[in-house]
Amino acid sequence: MIKVAVLGYGTIGAGVVEVLQKNADSIEKKAGERIEVKRILDLRDFPGDPNADLVVHDYNIIKEDEEIKIVVECMGGLEPAYTFVKTALLQGRSVATSNKELVAKHGAELIAIARAKNANFLFEASVGGGIPIIRPLTQCLTADVIEEISGILNGTTNYMLTKMENEGMAFDEVLKDAQAKGYAELHPEADIEGYDACRKIAILTSLAYGKQVDFEDIHTEGITNITAEDIRYAQAMHSSIKLLGKSWTADGKLYAMVCPMLLDNSHPLAGVHDVFNAIFVHGNMVDDTMFYGKGAGKLPTASAVAADVVDCVKHSGKNIKIIWDSEKLTLSDFGGFERRFFVRMPAGTSEEAIEKAFGPVEMVSVEGLDEKAFVTGMMKENDYNKAAEELGNIINMIRLD
Protein backbone atom coordinates (compact mmCIF):
# COMPACT_ATOMS: atom_id res chain seq x y z
CA MET A 1 0.00 0.00 0.00
CA ILE A 2 1.25 3.48 -0.94
CA LYS A 3 0.69 6.22 1.64
CA VAL A 4 0.03 9.78 0.43
CA ALA A 5 -0.01 13.17 2.15
CA VAL A 6 -2.17 15.99 0.80
CA LEU A 7 -1.05 19.57 1.50
CA GLY A 8 -4.07 21.88 1.60
CA TYR A 9 -7.67 20.80 2.21
CA GLY A 10 -9.38 23.52 0.20
CA THR A 11 -11.42 22.98 -2.93
CA ILE A 12 -8.77 21.08 -4.93
CA GLY A 13 -7.17 19.25 -2.01
CA ALA A 14 -10.55 18.01 -0.80
CA GLY A 15 -11.32 16.98 -4.37
CA VAL A 16 -8.12 14.93 -4.62
CA VAL A 17 -8.93 13.12 -1.38
CA GLU A 18 -12.46 12.46 -2.67
CA VAL A 19 -11.19 11.05 -5.98
CA LEU A 20 -8.57 8.83 -4.35
CA GLN A 21 -11.07 7.45 -1.84
CA LYS A 22 -14.18 7.17 -4.00
CA ASN A 23 -12.35 5.56 -6.95
CA ALA A 24 -9.93 3.58 -4.78
CA ASP A 25 -10.72 0.19 -6.31
CA SER A 26 -10.47 1.41 -9.91
CA ILE A 27 -7.30 3.38 -9.13
CA GLU A 28 -5.70 0.33 -7.47
CA LYS A 29 -6.14 -1.70 -10.65
CA LYS A 30 -4.49 1.00 -12.73
CA ALA A 31 -1.69 1.86 -10.29
CA GLY A 32 -0.93 -1.72 -9.33
CA GLU A 33 -1.07 -0.88 -5.63
CA ARG A 34 -3.61 0.44 -3.14
CA ILE A 35 -3.28 4.19 -2.52
CA GLU A 36 -4.24 5.57 0.87
CA VAL A 37 -4.37 9.18 2.07
CA LYS A 38 -2.59 9.07 5.44
CA ARG A 39 -2.17 12.77 6.28
CA ILE A 40 -3.82 16.05 5.30
CA LEU A 41 -2.00 19.30 6.10
CA ASP A 42 -4.11 22.39 6.79
CA LEU A 43 -4.16 25.24 9.29
CA ARG A 44 -7.85 24.61 9.97
CA ASP A 45 -9.75 21.86 11.72
CA PHE A 46 -12.67 20.15 10.00
CA PRO A 47 -15.04 18.87 12.69
CA GLY A 48 -17.59 16.48 11.25
CA ASP A 49 -15.57 15.85 8.09
CA PRO A 50 -15.02 12.10 7.48
CA ASN A 51 -11.28 12.81 7.13
CA ALA A 52 -10.99 15.10 10.15
CA ASP A 53 -8.75 12.63 12.00
CA LEU A 54 -6.20 12.76 9.15
CA VAL A 55 -5.64 16.51 9.47
CA VAL A 56 -2.37 17.79 10.92
CA HIS A 57 -1.17 21.38 11.26
CA ASP A 58 2.61 20.86 11.19
CA TYR A 59 4.45 19.82 8.01
CA ASN A 60 7.19 18.23 10.11
CA ILE A 61 4.76 15.42 11.00
CA ILE A 62 4.60 14.57 7.29
CA LYS A 63 8.29 15.19 6.76
CA GLU A 64 9.22 12.70 9.49
CA ASP A 65 6.68 10.03 8.51
CA GLU A 66 8.70 7.49 6.52
CA GLU A 67 5.57 5.67 5.36
CA ILE A 68 4.56 8.61 3.16
CA LYS A 69 5.93 8.12 -0.34
CA ILE A 70 3.99 10.74 -2.35
CA VAL A 71 3.12 14.32 -1.49
CA VAL A 72 0.22 16.11 -3.19
CA GLU A 73 0.48 19.91 -3.07
CA CYS A 74 -2.79 21.83 -3.40
CA MET A 75 -2.00 24.85 -1.23
CA GLY A 76 -1.43 27.35 -4.01
CA GLY A 77 0.94 30.30 -3.93
CA LEU A 78 4.73 30.16 -3.68
CA GLU A 79 5.33 29.82 0.05
CA PRO A 80 5.27 27.62 1.98
CA ALA A 81 4.38 25.40 -1.00
CA TYR A 82 7.85 25.73 -2.57
CA THR A 83 9.66 24.88 0.67
CA PHE A 84 7.44 21.88 1.40
CA VAL A 85 7.64 20.51 -2.17
CA LYS A 86 11.40 20.95 -2.41
CA THR A 87 11.85 19.24 0.97
CA ALA A 88 9.74 16.29 -0.15
CA LEU A 89 11.66 15.88 -3.41
CA LEU A 90 15.02 16.08 -1.63
CA GLN A 91 13.79 13.22 0.58
CA GLY A 92 13.20 11.18 -2.55
CA ARG A 93 9.42 11.49 -2.45
CA SER A 94 7.44 12.14 -5.60
CA VAL A 95 5.18 15.18 -5.78
CA ALA A 96 2.00 15.93 -7.71
CA THR A 97 0.74 19.51 -7.78
CA SER A 98 -1.93 21.73 -9.29
CA ASN A 99 -0.03 24.93 -8.40
CA LYS A 100 0.62 26.96 -11.57
CA GLU A 101 2.51 29.70 -9.69
CA LEU A 102 4.91 27.17 -8.22
CA VAL A 103 5.43 25.37 -11.54
CA ALA A 104 5.91 28.56 -13.57
CA LYS A 105 8.46 29.96 -11.12
CA HIS A 106 10.36 26.87 -9.97
CA GLY A 107 9.44 24.10 -12.43
CA ALA A 108 12.92 23.62 -13.91
CA GLU A 109 14.58 23.42 -10.49
CA LEU A 110 12.03 20.98 -9.03
CA ILE A 111 12.16 18.74 -12.13
CA ALA A 112 15.97 18.61 -11.81
CA ILE A 113 15.77 17.64 -8.11
CA ALA A 114 13.23 14.91 -8.89
CA ARG A 115 15.49 13.55 -11.64
CA ALA A 116 18.50 13.46 -9.31
CA LYS A 117 16.49 11.60 -6.65
CA ASN A 118 14.82 9.10 -9.03
CA ALA A 119 11.50 10.60 -8.05
CA ASN A 120 8.91 12.57 -10.01
CA PHE A 121 7.52 16.08 -10.00
CA LEU A 122 4.27 16.00 -11.98
CA PHE A 123 1.92 18.90 -12.63
CA GLU A 124 -0.72 17.98 -15.21
CA ALA A 125 -3.39 19.98 -13.35
CA SER A 126 -1.38 23.22 -13.34
CA VAL A 127 -2.60 24.08 -16.85
CA GLY A 128 -6.10 23.41 -18.09
CA GLY A 129 -7.46 21.75 -14.95
CA GLY A 130 -8.85 18.41 -16.11
CA ILE A 131 -7.71 18.85 -19.72
CA PRO A 132 -4.75 16.59 -20.57
CA ILE A 133 -2.11 18.87 -22.10
CA ILE A 134 1.15 18.41 -20.15
CA ARG A 135 1.48 14.72 -21.04
CA PRO A 136 0.66 15.28 -24.71
CA LEU A 137 3.36 17.96 -24.90
CA THR A 138 6.00 15.94 -23.04
CA GLN A 139 5.16 12.49 -24.43
CA CYS A 140 2.74 12.29 -27.38
CA LEU A 141 4.12 15.23 -29.38
CA THR A 142 7.83 14.79 -28.69
CA ALA A 143 8.53 13.83 -32.32
CA ASP A 144 7.29 17.24 -33.45
CA VAL A 145 8.80 20.68 -33.46
CA ILE A 146 6.08 22.81 -31.85
CA GLU A 147 5.47 25.93 -33.92
CA GLU A 148 2.50 27.44 -32.08
CA ILE A 149 0.56 27.10 -28.86
CA SER A 150 -2.58 29.19 -28.55
CA GLY A 151 -5.00 28.74 -25.72
CA ILE A 152 -8.08 29.94 -23.89
CA LEU A 153 -6.46 29.28 -20.55
CA ASN A 154 -8.75 31.02 -18.09
CA GLY A 155 -12.36 29.96 -17.57
CA THR A 156 -13.40 33.09 -15.68
CA THR A 157 -12.56 35.48 -18.50
CA ASN A 158 -13.98 33.14 -21.12
CA TYR A 159 -17.25 32.99 -19.19
CA MET A 160 -17.33 36.78 -18.98
CA LEU A 161 -16.64 37.29 -22.69
CA THR A 162 -19.29 34.69 -23.54
CA LYS A 163 -21.90 36.53 -21.45
CA MET A 164 -20.92 39.83 -23.06
CA GLU A 165 -21.27 38.26 -26.50
CA ASN A 166 -24.55 36.42 -25.90
CA GLU A 167 -26.35 38.89 -23.66
CA GLY A 168 -24.80 42.26 -24.47
CA MET A 169 -23.70 42.76 -20.86
CA ALA A 170 -21.18 45.45 -19.92
CA PHE A 171 -17.86 44.46 -18.36
CA ASP A 172 -18.65 45.63 -14.81
CA GLU A 173 -22.03 43.92 -14.91
CA VAL A 174 -20.67 40.60 -16.11
CA LEU A 175 -17.85 40.69 -13.55
CA LYS A 176 -20.40 40.97 -10.74
CA ASP A 177 -22.31 38.07 -12.28
CA ALA A 178 -19.14 35.94 -12.43
CA GLN A 179 -18.35 36.75 -8.80
CA ALA A 180 -21.91 35.89 -7.72
CA LYS A 181 -21.61 32.48 -9.43
CA GLY A 182 -18.22 31.78 -7.84
CA TYR A 183 -16.30 31.93 -11.12
CA ALA A 184 -14.44 35.12 -10.20
CA GLU A 185 -12.73 35.92 -6.92
CA LEU A 186 -13.54 38.97 -4.78
CA HIS A 187 -10.16 40.30 -5.98
CA PRO A 188 -10.22 39.07 -9.61
CA GLU A 189 -7.06 40.71 -10.93
CA ALA A 190 -5.21 37.44 -11.58
CA ASP A 191 -7.95 36.43 -14.00
CA ILE A 192 -9.14 39.66 -15.63
CA GLU A 193 -5.65 41.19 -16.00
CA GLY A 194 -4.33 38.03 -17.68
CA TYR A 195 -1.79 36.99 -15.02
CA ASP A 196 -3.28 33.49 -14.63
CA ALA A 197 -3.14 32.84 -18.38
CA CYS A 198 0.39 34.25 -18.47
CA ARG A 199 1.73 31.69 -16.00
CA LYS A 200 0.05 28.89 -17.89
CA ILE A 201 1.44 29.85 -21.31
CA ALA A 202 4.87 30.22 -19.67
CA ILE A 203 4.63 26.60 -18.44
CA LEU A 204 3.48 25.27 -21.81
CA THR A 205 6.17 27.19 -23.71
CA SER A 206 8.90 26.02 -21.34
CA LEU A 207 7.82 22.42 -21.92
CA ALA A 208 7.48 22.84 -25.69
CA TYR A 209 11.00 24.23 -26.06
CA GLY A 210 12.69 22.56 -23.09
CA LYS A 211 14.06 25.69 -21.45
CA GLN A 212 12.90 28.26 -18.93
CA VAL A 213 10.45 30.92 -20.10
CA ASP A 214 9.91 33.51 -17.37
CA PHE A 215 6.31 34.64 -17.12
CA GLU A 216 7.54 38.11 -16.16
CA ASP A 217 8.96 38.45 -19.68
CA ILE A 218 5.64 37.78 -21.42
CA HIS A 219 3.68 40.83 -22.57
CA THR A 220 0.32 40.54 -20.80
CA GLU A 221 -2.98 42.36 -21.25
CA GLY A 222 -6.31 41.43 -19.71
CA ILE A 223 -9.92 42.02 -20.71
CA THR A 224 -10.67 45.10 -18.59
CA ASN A 225 -10.74 47.36 -21.68
CA ILE A 226 -13.17 45.16 -23.64
CA THR A 227 -16.57 46.83 -23.95
CA ALA A 228 -20.02 45.89 -25.17
CA GLU A 229 -19.28 48.03 -28.24
CA ASP A 230 -16.21 45.93 -29.04
CA ILE A 231 -18.39 42.83 -28.90
CA ARG A 232 -20.90 44.37 -31.33
CA TYR A 233 -18.12 45.15 -33.80
CA ALA A 234 -16.78 41.60 -33.48
CA GLN A 235 -20.21 40.18 -34.26
CA ALA A 236 -20.49 42.43 -37.31
CA MET A 237 -17.15 41.01 -38.46
CA HIS A 238 -18.31 37.40 -37.87
CA SER A 239 -15.68 37.10 -35.18
CA SER A 240 -15.33 36.49 -31.46
CA ILE A 241 -13.10 38.15 -28.87
CA LYS A 242 -11.10 35.69 -26.74
CA LEU A 243 -8.35 36.18 -24.17
CA LEU A 244 -5.51 34.11 -25.58
CA GLY A 245 -2.21 32.95 -24.19
CA LYS A 246 0.05 32.45 -27.21
CA SER A 247 3.56 31.44 -28.06
CA TRP A 248 4.83 30.88 -31.57
CA THR A 249 7.92 30.75 -33.73
CA ALA A 250 8.54 32.76 -36.89
CA ASP A 251 11.78 33.19 -38.82
CA GLY A 252 13.69 31.39 -36.10
CA LYS A 253 12.38 33.68 -33.36
CA LEU A 254 10.19 32.77 -30.37
CA TYR A 255 7.36 35.07 -29.33
CA ALA A 256 4.84 34.93 -26.48
CA MET A 257 2.03 37.15 -25.29
CA VAL A 258 -1.33 37.22 -23.51
CA CYS A 259 -4.03 39.55 -24.82
CA PRO A 260 -7.60 39.72 -26.13
CA MET A 261 -7.73 38.79 -29.81
CA LEU A 262 -10.31 38.78 -32.56
CA LEU A 263 -10.82 35.30 -33.96
CA ASP A 264 -12.79 34.59 -37.11
CA ASN A 265 -15.75 32.35 -36.25
CA SER A 266 -14.19 29.60 -38.36
CA HIS A 267 -11.25 29.35 -35.94
CA PRO A 268 -11.58 26.29 -33.65
CA LEU A 269 -11.05 28.41 -30.53
CA ALA A 270 -13.86 30.82 -31.44
CA GLY A 271 -16.47 28.22 -30.51
CA VAL A 272 -15.14 27.66 -26.99
CA HIS A 273 -17.67 29.19 -24.60
CA ASP A 274 -18.48 29.71 -20.93
CA VAL A 275 -15.97 28.34 -18.40
CA PHE A 276 -14.44 25.88 -20.86
CA ASN A 277 -10.79 26.06 -21.84
CA ALA A 278 -9.08 24.89 -25.01
CA ILE A 279 -5.47 24.68 -26.12
CA PHE A 280 -4.56 24.67 -29.81
CA VAL A 281 -1.15 23.21 -30.67
CA HIS A 282 0.48 23.25 -34.11
CA GLY A 283 3.40 20.92 -34.73
CA ASN A 284 5.51 20.70 -37.86
CA MET A 285 4.47 17.06 -38.41
CA VAL A 286 1.19 16.51 -36.57
CA ASP A 287 -0.21 19.81 -37.91
CA ASP A 288 -3.16 21.07 -35.81
CA THR A 289 -4.42 19.50 -32.59
CA MET A 290 -6.77 20.90 -29.96
CA PHE A 291 -7.40 19.92 -26.35
CA TYR A 292 -10.76 20.95 -24.89
CA GLY A 293 -12.57 20.63 -21.58
CA LYS A 294 -13.21 22.13 -18.17
CA GLY A 295 -10.14 24.10 -17.28
CA ALA A 296 -10.95 24.45 -13.60
CA GLY A 297 -13.31 23.15 -10.94
CA LYS A 298 -12.96 20.85 -7.97
CA LEU A 299 -13.30 17.40 -9.50
CA PRO A 300 -11.91 17.95 -13.02
CA THR A 301 -8.71 19.42 -11.54
CA ALA A 302 -8.59 16.81 -8.76
CA SER A 303 -8.92 14.06 -11.37
CA ALA A 304 -5.78 15.32 -13.13
CA VAL A 305 -3.86 15.49 -9.83
CA ALA A 306 -4.97 11.97 -8.90
CA ALA A 307 -3.82 10.72 -12.31
CA ASP A 308 -0.37 12.15 -11.53
CA VAL A 309 -0.41 10.27 -8.22
CA VAL A 310 -1.13 7.06 -10.14
CA ASP A 311 1.79 7.81 -12.47
CA CYS A 312 4.05 8.35 -9.45
CA VAL A 313 3.05 4.94 -8.10
CA LYS A 314 3.52 3.20 -11.46
CA HIS A 315 6.99 4.73 -11.80
CA SER A 316 8.16 4.30 -8.22
CA GLY A 317 11.94 4.59 -8.13
CA LYS A 318 12.07 5.68 -11.79
CA ASN A 319 12.06 9.21 -13.10
CA ILE A 320 9.70 10.18 -15.91
CA LYS A 321 11.91 12.32 -18.10
CA ILE A 322 10.64 15.87 -18.60
CA ILE A 323 12.85 18.24 -20.57
CA TRP A 324 12.73 21.66 -18.94
CA ASP A 325 16.19 23.06 -18.25
CA SER A 326 16.89 26.12 -16.14
CA GLU A 327 18.67 27.85 -19.04
CA LYS A 328 16.54 30.85 -19.90
CA LEU A 329 14.91 31.26 -23.29
CA THR A 330 14.94 34.84 -24.49
CA LEU A 331 11.69 35.93 -26.11
CA SER A 332 11.88 38.10 -29.20
CA ASP A 333 10.39 41.58 -29.21
CA PHE A 334 6.97 41.09 -30.75
CA GLY A 335 7.12 44.70 -31.95
CA GLY A 336 8.67 43.38 -35.14
CA PHE A 337 5.93 40.82 -35.74
CA GLU A 338 3.33 41.57 -38.41
CA ARG A 339 -0.41 41.20 -37.89
CA ARG A 340 -3.68 43.08 -38.49
CA PHE A 341 -5.32 45.37 -35.96
CA PHE A 342 -8.93 46.36 -35.31
CA VAL A 343 -9.10 50.02 -34.29
CA ARG A 344 -11.90 52.29 -33.03
CA MET A 345 -11.65 56.08 -33.28
CA PRO A 346 -13.98 59.05 -32.75
CA ALA A 347 -16.50 59.76 -35.51
CA GLY A 348 -14.81 63.07 -36.39
CA THR A 349 -11.60 61.37 -37.55
CA SER A 350 -11.31 61.58 -41.34
CA GLU A 351 -10.69 58.46 -43.39
CA GLU A 352 -7.93 60.35 -45.17
CA ALA A 353 -6.10 60.88 -41.87
CA ILE A 354 -6.60 57.24 -40.96
CA GLU A 355 -5.16 55.96 -44.23
CA LYS A 356 -2.32 58.43 -44.09
CA ALA A 357 -1.29 56.99 -40.71
CA PHE A 358 -2.16 53.30 -41.17
CA GLY A 359 -2.17 52.76 -44.91
CA PRO A 360 -5.13 51.09 -46.66
CA VAL A 361 -7.79 49.91 -44.18
CA GLU A 362 -11.16 48.12 -44.21
CA MET A 363 -13.84 50.24 -42.56
CA VAL A 364 -16.30 48.53 -40.20
CA SER A 365 -19.66 49.99 -39.23
CA VAL A 366 -22.31 48.99 -36.69
CA GLU A 367 -25.76 50.51 -36.65
CA GLY A 368 -26.16 52.90 -33.73
CA LEU A 369 -22.44 53.39 -33.11
CA ASP A 370 -21.16 56.72 -34.34
CA GLU A 371 -17.45 55.99 -34.66
CA LYS A 372 -14.75 55.33 -37.22
CA ALA A 373 -13.75 51.70 -36.90
CA PHE A 374 -11.44 49.80 -39.22
CA VAL A 375 -9.11 46.84 -39.71
CA THR A 376 -5.58 47.61 -40.82
CA GLY A 377 -3.57 45.68 -43.34
CA MET A 378 -0.64 43.57 -42.19
CA MET A 379 1.74 45.78 -40.24
CA LYS A 380 4.39 45.44 -37.58
CA GLU A 381 3.35 46.15 -34.00
CA ASN A 382 5.96 48.91 -33.77
CA ASP A 383 4.55 50.56 -36.89
CA TYR A 384 1.02 50.33 -35.48
CA ASN A 385 2.16 51.98 -32.24
CA LYS A 386 3.87 54.78 -34.17
CA ALA A 387 0.75 55.39 -36.28
CA ALA A 388 -1.54 55.29 -33.24
CA GLU A 389 0.62 57.80 -31.40
CA GLU A 390 0.76 60.05 -34.45
CA LEU A 391 -3.00 60.05 -34.97
CA GLY A 392 -4.07 59.91 -31.32
CA ASN A 393 -7.61 59.51 -29.95
CA ILE A 394 -7.65 55.72 -30.20
CA ILE A 395 -10.76 54.45 -28.37
CA ASN A 396 -9.62 50.85 -28.39
CA MET A 397 -7.46 48.38 -30.33
CA ILE A 398 -7.75 44.60 -30.55
CA ARG A 399 -5.32 42.39 -32.43
CA LEU A 400 -6.49 39.91 -35.04
CA ASP A 401 -5.20 36.34 -34.85
Side-chain angles (χ1 to χ4, degrees), residues 190-359:
D191 294 324
I192 63 174
E193 298 291 356
Y195 307 143
D196 176 77
C198 177
R199 286 177 171 84
K200 292 172 180 176
I201 195 63
I203 292 169
L204 294 177
T205 308
S206 296
L207 290 170
Y209 299 101
K211 296 179 182 178
Q212 176 69 22
V213 174
D214 290 343
F215 63 86
E216 298 95 338
D217 294 341
I218 297 175
H219 176 84
T220 301
E221 301 172 19
I223 65 167
T224 53
N225 290 330
I226 300 299
T227 65
E229 290 78 14
D230 292 319
I231 300 292
R232 291 180 63 189
Y233 279 114
Q235 290 171 330
M237 298 161 63
H238 305 290
S239 299
S240 294
I241 299 173
K242 299 293 184 183
L243 181 68
L244 297 186
K246 289 180 62 68
S247 62
W248 70 98
T249 57
D251 299 324
K253 297 177 180 178
L254 175 64
Y255 302 89
M257 67 189 310
V258 175
C259 65
M261 302 198 84
L262 272 164
L263 301 179
D264 186 88
N265 286 339
S266 63
H267 193 291
L269 291 176
V272 178
H273 300 303
D274 296 314
V275 295
F276 283 85
N277 284 192
I279 300 131
F280 175 90
V281 180
H282 180 86
N284 70 333
M285 296 297 164
V286 76
D287 203 21
D288 295 337
T289 59
M290 193 168 89
F291 305 83
Y292 170 84
K294 288 197 172 181
K298 177 180 177 179
L299 293 178
T301 304
S303 174
V305 177
D308 278 347
V309 173
V310 171
D311 245 10
C312 289
V313 174
K314 290 166 68 176
H315 295 87
S316 180
K318 294 182 290 184
N319 177 255
I320 301 169
K321 191 169 185 178
I322 299 174
I323 307 300
W324 179 350
D325 296 333
S326 58
E327 181 185 347
K328 183 176 173 177
L329 265 179
T330 300
L331 298 174
S332 295
D333 177 8
F334 67 92
F337 187 77
E338 286 191 338
R339 66 171 73 252
R340 301 173 76 200
F341 301 84
F342 168 70
V343 185
R344 292 168 52 205
M345 302 195 69
T349 311
S350 72
E351 292 187 25
E352 291 80 6
I354 289 172
E355 295 213 340
K356 181 180 178 183
F358 291 97

Side-chain angles (χ1 to χ4, degrees), residues 14-81:
V16 172
V17 174
E18 180 179 342
V19 170
L20 291 175
Q21 292 177 341
K22 188 172 183 178
N23 291 349
D25 292 340
S26 172
I27 287 172
E28 181 179 0
K29 291 177 183 176
K30 295 164 185 173
E33 292 195 59
R34 194 78 174 177
I35 298 173
E36 178 186 282
V37 177
K38 183 177 183 183
R39 302 284 188 189
I40 297 170
L41 178 71
D42 205 287
L43 294 174
R44 302 163 292 176
D45 290 309
F46 298 88
D49 188 283
N51 296 298
D53 60 332
L54 304 182
V55 175
V56 298
H57 307 305
D58 183 358
Y59 179 73
N60 286 321
I61 295 172
I62 293 169
K63 178 182 176 182
E64 294 165 7
D65 189 335
E66 294 183 359
E67 283 193 323
I68 293 171
K69 302 301 181 185
I70 299 171
V71 171
V72 176
E73 188 277 307
C74 300
M75 304 172 71
L78 289 178
E79 286 293 355

